[in-house]
């Protein structure tokens, strides 16, 4: 089973990225043959500063390795180290109905948030389809917000197969139900673009401050509270062991557990949870050449697979 996922190097990782995508992807990697990459071509649609892009790619590589990505069993690479993907994206674009892209909500959302309305941003899902199809992917672990992009990739693959014969493998999604959308400080989906994130590798003071600033109502400590409506409780549940979750939820429902105490409990869980990863991150940061070697090795392995698919597609469409 081929598993593949990508993440844009467009800023610091937050706990929505972690529980929504990174952790499920790392777990899944143990069950098959995983290809994970840093989507730097995609990031060009939002990061316009070359040094910032390079810095972000390096930081993302370090963060993912620190969080447990194992390069010995996972092909880990930088998207742009396998430029074959852009050729496949072009070929795919010639069978992609315009209407399919016009229905995409990510484009409209991103333009509304201030990203430049470029062709690259519009064609983003075609490049993503090329990522998935180039490596003959079966399963794509991503968060709920990527569901439509997966459907587009399947549609494009089906189109190409219909027109030229069965050359491409149709991917399945893999979206974990319970953690489909991690809420942010304000209760909306946690996202960099809403400024409502809790960053995984924030320093201790910042992490505490972020946890304490989760928006809550004015109910007093003694008041019984509804566990289903609580952002701090939802976040705490992601970290705490099941027995503790049960006691805490019961106290919350009954009254006697105030928001400040709960937020502090969340901070303590989160800080402890990422402790080992923080240590690994420091070691990796001190050895940039080792990180570069991992990415170079991943690129060589990815490229070998990419070449085979691209040759089959070129042949199928009559490019040689
Ligand atoms: P952001 O919304 O902060 O810009 P990205 O779009 O870069 O995050 O998402 C990277 C990955 O993390 C995607 O697979 C996405 O589905 C997942 N993800 C992002 N935010 C959340 C969230 N709040 N809950 C669950 N998954 C998320
Ligand atoms: N679009 C994804 C995101 O914003 C990143 C991505 C690019 C991706 N190519 C991919 C994810 C291929 C899965 C598979 O999070």
């Amino acid at each position: 089973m081929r598993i593949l996922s990508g993440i844009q190097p467009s800023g610091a990782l937050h706990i929505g990225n972690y529980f929504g995508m990174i952790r499920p992807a790392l777990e899944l990697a143990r069950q098959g043959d995983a290809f994970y990459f840093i989507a730097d071509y995609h990031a060009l649609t939002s990061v316009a500063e070359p040094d910032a892009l390079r810095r972000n790619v390096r930081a993302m590589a370090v963060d993912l390795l620190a969080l447990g990505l194992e390069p010995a069993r996972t092909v880990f690479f930088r998207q742009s180290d396998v430029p074959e993907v852009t050729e496949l994206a072009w070929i795919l674009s010639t069978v992609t109905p315009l209407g399919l892209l016009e229905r995409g909500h990510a484009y409209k959302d991103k333009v509304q948030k201030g990203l430049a309305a470029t062709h690259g941003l519009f064609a983003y899902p075609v490049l993503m389809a090329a990522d998935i199809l180039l490596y003959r992917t079966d399963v794509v672990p991503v968060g709920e917000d990527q569901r439509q992009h997966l459907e587009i990739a399947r549609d494009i693959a089906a189109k190409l197969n219909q027109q030229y014969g069965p050359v491409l493998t149709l991917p399945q999604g893999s979206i974990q139900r319970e953690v489909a959308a991690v809420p942010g400080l304000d209760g909306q989906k946690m996202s960099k673009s809403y400024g409502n994130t809790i960053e995984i590798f924030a320093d201790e003071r910042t992490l505490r401050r972020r946890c304490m600033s989760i928006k809550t109502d004015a109910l007093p400590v003694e008041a019984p509270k509804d566990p289903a409506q609580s952002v701090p409780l939802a976040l705490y549940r992601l970290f705490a062991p099941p027995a503790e979750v049960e006691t805490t939820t019961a106290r919350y429902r009954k009254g006697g557990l105030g928001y400040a105490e709960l937020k502090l409990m969340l901070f303590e869980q989160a800080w402890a949870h990422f402790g080992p990863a923080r240590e690994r991150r420091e070691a990796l940061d001190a050895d940039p050449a080792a990180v570069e070697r991992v990415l170079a090795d991943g690129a060589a392995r990815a490229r070998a697979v990419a070449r085979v698919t691209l040759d089959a597609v070129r042949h199928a469409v009559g490019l040689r």
Side-chain angles (χ1 to χ4, degrees), residues 14 16-17 20-21 142-143 145-146 179-182 189-192:
H14 54 73
N17 300 139
M21 186 255 198
V142 281
D145 56 354
Q146 296 297 312
V179 287
V182 176
K189 181 199 115 130
M190 186 178 289
S191 171
K192 276 188 293 288

Side-chain angles (χ1 to χ4, degrees), residues 16-263:
N17 300 139
Y18 181 71
F19 289 104
M21 186 255 198
I22 296 169
R23 194 178 67 175
L26 294 178
E27 277 166 12
L28 203 59
R30 301 206 183 90
Q31 297 165 35
D33 145 39
F35 279 50
Y36 291 155
F37 65 93
I38 301 174
D40 55 351
Y41 280 137
H42 277 111
L44 283 176
T45 60
S46 63
V47 183
E49 220 276 291
D51 285 328
L53 183 59
R54 275 186 283 268
R55 239 187 350 264
N56 285 355
V57 169
R58 246 193 51 76
M60 182 62 78
V62 166
D63 287 358
L64 293 176
L65 291 167
L67 288 169
L69 190 149
E70 298 171 77
R73 66 164 87 213
T74 301
V75 177
F76 180 41
F77 63 104
R78 184 167 25 216
Q79 185 185 31
S80 63
D81 283 343
V82 190
E84 281 82 354
V85 73
T86 60
E87 183 176 348
L88 181 60
W90 172 256
I91 297 172
L92 296 178
S93 78
T94 66
V95 300
T96 304
L98 204 55
L100 192 61
L101 300 181
E102 282 165 347
R103 285 193 294 277
H105 25 70
Y107 175 79
K108 284 168 234 153
D109 290 353
K110 287 177 177 178
V111 170
Q112 218 196 1
K113 281 178 199 146
L115 290 197
T118 60
H119 175 259
L121 192 63
F122 187 68
Y124 183 111
V126 182
L127 181 59
M128 179 158 162
D131 289 323
I132 295 169
L133 302 170
L134 187 60
Y135 301 101
R136 301 205 171 280
T137 306
D138 301 299
V139 178
V140 186
V142 281
E144 177 66 38
D145 56 354
Q146 296 297 312
R147 182 187 295 281
Q148 193 184 35
H149 285 153
L150 284 185
E151 280 160 11
I152 294 174
R154 281 179 63 87
D155 286 353
I156 294 176
K159 264 271 186 223
L160 189 110
N161 285 351
Q162 183 193 18
Q163 204 158 312
Y164 295 109
V167 248
L168 295 173
T169 309
L170 264 51
Q172 306 293 321
S174 171
I175 294 167
Q176 294 223 324
R177 282 271 145 245
E178 335 73 90
V179 287
V182 176
L185 302 182
D186 55 359
Q188 293 188 80
K189 181 199 115 130
M190 186 178 289
S191 171
K192 276 188 293 288
S193 42
Y194 300 144
N196 63 357
T197 62
I198 299 178
E199 291 177 6
I200 297 177
F201 293 118
D203 62 57
E204 188 169 359
R205 236 183 103 239
T206 311
L207 188 72
R208 185 183 296 108
R209 200 152 26 80
R210 297 300 275 174
C211 291
M212 299 312 288
S213 69
I214 296 170
K215 216 171 90 193
T216 42
D217 55 32
L219 285 178
V221 174
E222 331 68 72
K225 303 178 186 69
D226 179 3
Q229 302 300 325
S230 170
V231 174
L233 191 64
L235 296 177
Y236 167 86
R237 279 178 162 154
L238 295 169
F239 292 101
E244 270 179 56
V245 169
E246 214 173 294
T247 354
T248 305
T249 308
R251 268 184 73 203
Y252 190 82
R253 188 180 293 115
K254 187 156 162 283
L257 175 57
Y259 294 126
E261 186 188 347
L262 178 58
K263 291 177 194 175

